[in-house]
Amino acid sequence: VDLATPNAAPPPWMAHRYPETLLVDRKGVRVEVGSRGHFCPSSPVYRDRSLRIARALADRYGQHPGLAMWHVGNEYHAHCFCDNCDRSFREWLQRKYRDLDELNDRWTTTFWSQRYDDWEQVHLPKPVRGHVNPTRELDFARFVSDVALEAFTQERDLFHEVTPDIPVTTNFFQSVDLNDYHRWGAAVDVVTFDSYPDPGRDDAAVNAALQYDLMRSIGGGQPWLTLEQAANAVSQWKRNYAKAEGGMRLDAYRMVARGSDAVMFFQWRPSRGGQEKFHSAMLPHGGTQSRSWKAVEALGQELPAAAEIAGSVIDADVAIVWDWDNWWAVEGCAHPTNDFSYKEALHRHYAPLWERNIATDVITLSSDLSRYRVIVVPNQYLITAAQHDALRAFVENGGHVVISYFSGIVVEDDAGIENGYPGGLRDVIGAQVLDFLPMLPSARVGLEPAPGQTLLDAGFTAVGSDWQDDLVPEGADVVLRYSDGPFAGVPAVIDHALGAGHVTYIATQLDAASLSGLVAAVLDRAGVAPVHPAPAGVEVTERRSDTRRYLFFVNGGTAAEVELQRGGTDLLTGVRWECGDRLPLAPAAVVVLAGDR
C-alpha cells in the first residue's frame, strides 16, 4: 500500500473553523469548499493539521507489513494571494536579498517609481493597472514553488523520523508551471507521476513521452512509478474520448519503456456521484463485461512476464532543456511577442528526437552536461553566468548544441545582459542580434541553403514564421538564409565551430519538417544514432540493467515491419527472434526483446 495523507482536500469543518486556511485568488477572492486544492500552503493552521494527521497515520500504520510507501498530498498546484502568503513572500524575499537596497536594485524599482523604503511596503503581486513588475512576478513564481515544497518536506521529514525505512513521495502531473519539478524531484524518495494523455489529440503520444522522460530525469535517471493512468476516458477534457482499441495497453507500455516500474490506475471503481463519476475506472459502472475491465484484466495477466525489467535504466546521449525559471520568465509581460508558449516550444523541439527514437534526458543548463553529445535548448531567454560558462565548456569539449531564438537575453533577475543581443550567448552562437522582429500570424518566409554550407543537403528548403532575428554573424557560418521577404539574404540559421564542438542557432520558427531535418543533421554530425531503426509510428526505446538489455517496440501507427539488428526473446510471448529477422508489428502491437548486454 502507498498510503496517502488526505490534506489535498481539507473538509468543511476546517474552512468553517479556520477560514484563513482557504486559498485566495489573485483578485482577492477567497475560494470556498466544494472542489479540492482549496488550501493555502502557507497557513500555519493548515500545516499544523497536516502534520498532526500525518503523525497519526505514521503512529498507527508505520509498522504495518503492508505499508510500501508514504504519499503526501496530491498533485500540488496551488498558488495563493492571502495575507499569510503575503507575509511568507516578504520573509522569503528577506532571506534571499537580506537588504532592501539589494531588492530594489534587482527588481529595477527605479522604473515607474516603485522603489521601496520599508519592507512592509513589499507585497506579493496582485492586480495592477498596466504591466506588472516582471522581476517581482518571477520571484513570486519561485516562491510559489518553494512554499508548496516546504509544506511537502515538513511532512516528508516527519515520516522519515517515524518510519525511516519507508520511502516518501508525492504525485507529479503533466506540464504544471507552478512547481519546479527539477527541485521537487530531488526532494522525493522516488518520483511518481499521474499520466493522462488526451486521446483526442494527435500529438498525445509525443507529449506523453516528453513527460515520461522528464520524470526519469528529475529522479536522476532512476526508475519512476506511474501512480495514475486512466483505463479509458477521463472527465477533465472538453470532450472525453474513449481510448482506441488497445490504447490503454499502448499507454502502459510507453510508460514502462521510458522508465516506469509501475502501472497503476485512477481509479478502482468510480463513485456514483461527485465530480469524477464519469472518470473511467478499472471496474467501471458497466461492470466486468465492459471493454475497460477486460483490457485491465488482460494487462494484469501480461505484465508479470516483464517483471525482470524493474530497476533497469535508460542511457541517453542527448538532452533537451526544460527550465522552470526560464518558463516563468520567457512568458513574462511586455516582450516583443506576448503570446509565446514555452510548453509548445518544448514539444516542437522534442518531436524530432521522439520521431527518430533518440533516447533523451530532460535537464537544465545547471545540470551536469558532460555526459551528453547533443543538447537542444528551446528559447532560453533567461540564462545565468554559470549556465553560460557550462554551455560554452560543453561545446568547446566537443558537444553539439541546437539553440533557438530569444535566448541569452536576461540574467536571473530578468534584467537585460549587456554587450548587445544575445548578451548571454553572443560568444557561444558567434553572432549578434541587432533586433527582434516578430511576424504577423499569417506571414511566412522562405529559407534556402547558403553557398558553401555543409551541414544540410543542397536542396534543403524551409519555411520560417512567427519571428525573425536581424542576425549578423561574428565567426559563425551561415547555414540557411531568407530567400524572400524584406530580409532576403539575411542569415536565418547559423553554425558556429567553437573548440571541438558546434552550436547551431535558429533565428526564426522553422516549420516542423525543416526543424526535424536540421536536428537530424546535427545528430548525424555528432554520431548519435536511433536506438534501433523503425518505420514511422513505431516507438523504440531501450532499458538496461548490469547484465541485460530490453528493447521495446511500441506500434502506435499502422501495420509495420522491423528488420532486427539484434536478437532477443520477447518477454510478453516467449518467442525468440534473431538478428536479421523481420519482426511484424500489427497496429497497437508491443514487443519487448530481452537479451544479454
Side-chain angles (χ1 to χ4, degrees):
V1 174
D2 170 22
L3 187 58
T5 60
N7 54 357
W13 69 259
M14 183 92 151
H16 181 72
R17 296 184 197 174
Y18 308 103
E20 70 274 20
T21 64
L22 290 170
L23 178 150
V24 174
D25 70 14
R26 188 183 285 263
K27 294 181 179 180
V29 176
R30 192 175 293 277
V31 305
E32 296 294 340
V33 178
S35 183
R36 61 178 177 173
H38 48 267
F39 60 87
C40 165
S42 296
S43 166
V45 175
Y46 169 78
R47 290 197 182 186
D48 173 69
R49 298 310 190 275
S50 295
L51 290 171
R52 286 194 202 185
I53 200 165
R55 184 170 292 277
L57 287 167
D59 289 344
R60 177 154 185 163
Y61 297 110
Q63 302 306 313
H64 194 290
L67 180 66
M69 186 163 61
W70 293 113
H71 177 148
V72 175
N74 177 70
E75 296 180 345
Y76 281 88
H77 61 282
H79 62 322
C80 179
F81 296 82
C82 73
D83 291 343
N84 278 323
C85 286
D86 192 62
R87 286 191 294 271
S88 297
F89 181 51
R90 190 157 43 250
E91 292 166 358
W92 184 92
L93 292 169
Q94 288 172 324
R95 291 192 297 270
K96 178 175 182 177
Y97 295 117
R98 299 185 181 275
D99 182 78
L100 192 56
D101 288 338
E102 179 72 7
L103 178 142
N104 279 306
D105 180 58
R106 303 280 281 274
W107 282 17
T108 318
T109 58
T110 51
F111 192 79
W112 283 353
S113 301
Q114 297 172 63
R115 188 169 183 82
Y116 304 102
D117 57 27
D118 190 294
W119 278 105
E120 291 304 310
Q121 300 166 4
V122 182
H123 300 284
L124 48 72
K126 292 184 177 180
V128 299
R129 183 189 180 280
H131 294 303
V132 299
N133 181 312
T135 314
R136 181 173 73 159
E137 199 75 31
L138 178 57
D139 266 344
F140 180 65
R142 293 164 172 151
F143 161 77
V144 166
S145 179
D146 283 356
V147 76
L149 181 58
E150 183 181 67
F152 163 77
T153 55
Q154 286 180 347
E155 290 186 65
R156 179 205 64 189
D157 293 347
L158 183 151
F159 285 126
H160 281 169
E161 172 196 334
V162 180
T163 55
D165 297 328
I166 302 296
V168 184
T169 191
T170 189
N171 47 335
F172 302 130
F173 66 123
Q174 49 208 28
S175 298
V176 177
D177 63 348
L178 293 178
N179 299 323
D180 183 344
Y181 279 175
H182 291 287
R183 295 193 63 193
W184 280 68
V188 297
D189 295 327
V190 59
V191 171
T192 62
F193 184 61
D194 297 347
S195 177
Y196 293 108
D198 184 354
R201 292 181 60 106
D202 293 337
D203 58 358
V206 58
N207 293 347
L210 175 57
Q211 301 287 341
Y212 304 154
D213 286 344
L214 172 67
M215 291 302 111
R216 184 185 69 251
S217 300
I218 65 174
Q222 293 303 303
W224 50 281
L225 308 178
T226 304
L227 291 194
E228 297 183 23
Q229 72 153 328
N232 208 321
V234 299
S235 56
Q236 67 217 51
W237 311 120
K238 187 173 182 179
R239 293 185 64 85
N240 294 296
Y241 296 103
K243 295 187 177 184
E245 192 69 31
M248 183 275 290
R249 179 173 178 265
L250 279 181
D251 286 345
Y253 280 106
R254 283 168 172 149
M255 301 164 193
V256 175
R258 294 182 183 273
S260 180
D261 272 4
V263 176
M264 290 180 273
F265 292 84
F266 179 82
Q267 49 194 330
W268 163 236
R269 296 194 72 170
S271 59
R272 292 179 58 235
Q275 288 93 326
E276 293 187 306
K277 59 182 175 290
F278 293 116
H279 192 298
S280 65
M282 299 168 75
L283 179 58
H285 293 302
T288 57
Q289 296 306 306
S290 67
R291 185 167 62 91
S292 296
W293 168 265
K294 292 177 180 178
V296 169
E297 185 182 34
L299 181 67
Q301 296 295 322
E302 182 180 63
L303 269 176
E308 68 175 77
I309 293 169
S312 60
V313 298
I314 294 173
D315 296 326
D317 291 328
V318 176
I320 188 169
V321 172
W322 186 344
D323 185 315
W324 262 255
D325 258 12
N326 181 60
W327 190 354
W328 298 323
V330 76
E331 293 187 2
C333 70
H335 285 176
T337 178
N338 291 303
D339 59 355
F340 177 79
S341 169
Y342 183 58
K343 184 168 69 173
E344 290 178 6
L346 280 163
H347 294 170
R348 195 163 51 244
H349 287 78
Y350 176 80
L353 304 172
W354 176 82
E355 291 165 357
R356 284 169 175 74
N357 292 315
I358 302 296
T360 303
D361 285 347
V362 183
I363 64 169
T364 77
L365 291 177
S366 299
S367 306
D368 178 10
L369 309 183
S370 62
R371 59 173 296 178
Y372 304 107
R373 296 189 198 177
V374 176
I375 297 176
V376 177
V377 188
N379 310 90
Q380 189 72 24
Y381 165 75
L382 184 152
I383 191 167
T384 68
Q387 289 173 336
H388 161 273
D389 293 346
L391 190 64
R392 182 180 175 104
F394 170 78
V395 180
E396 289 176 335
N397 290 328
H400 298 257
V401 171
V402 177
I403 188 164
S404 50
Y405 61 87
F406 207 41
S407 292
I409 309 303
V410 300
V411 292
E412 56 266 42
D413 302 317
D414 205 20
I417 300 172
E418 297 180 4
N419 190 36
Y421 298 135
L425 288 170
R426 184 172 172 178
D427 61 319
V428 175
I429 70 169
Q432 181 182 8
V433 177
L434 299 179
D435 204 357
F436 308 129
L437 306 161
M439 299 167 65
L440 292 171
S442 60
R444 298 292 183 271
V445 62
L447 283 70
E448 63 184 5
Q453 69 82 31
T454 57
L455 181 61
L456 301 172
D457 294 336
F460 190 95
T461 59
V463 175
S465 64
D466 192 66
W467 181 285
Q468 291 177 293
D469 282 340
D470 190 359
L471 189 63
V472 178
E474 297 176 328
D477 297 324
V478 180
V479 177
L480 293 175
R481 62 185 183 183
Y482 298 111
S483 58
D484 54 45
F487 293 94
V490 173
V493 175
I494 57 175
D495 192 64
H496 187 210
L498 185 63
H502 285 262
V503 179
T504 304
Y505 178 78
I506 307 169
T508 186
Q509 182 173 299
L510 295 178
D511 63 283
S514 301
L515 178 59
S516 184
L518 179 65
V519 170
V522 172
L523 294 171
D524 289 345
R525 181 170 63 186
V528 175
V531 173
H532 190 288
V538 178
E539 294 179 59
V540 187
T541 53
E542 183 181 66
R543 294 180 61 167
R544 299 181 181 183
S545 68
D546 290 340
T547 59
R548 301 275 278 169
R549 59 186 183 184
Y550 306 98
L551 193 61
F552 289 76
F553 296 92
V554 180
N555 185 16
T558 58
E561 190 175 72
V562 176
E563 183 175 348
L564 294 175
Q565 294 186 347
R566 59 177 185 256
T569 300
D570 181 7
L571 293 181
L572 306 183
T573 63
V575 175
R576 173 72 189 180
W577 296 87
E578 302 297 339
C579 180
D581 285 348
R582 304 193 71 84
L583 176 68
L585 294 170
V590 177
V591 173
V592 185
L593 291 187
D596 295 334
R597 288 195 64 167

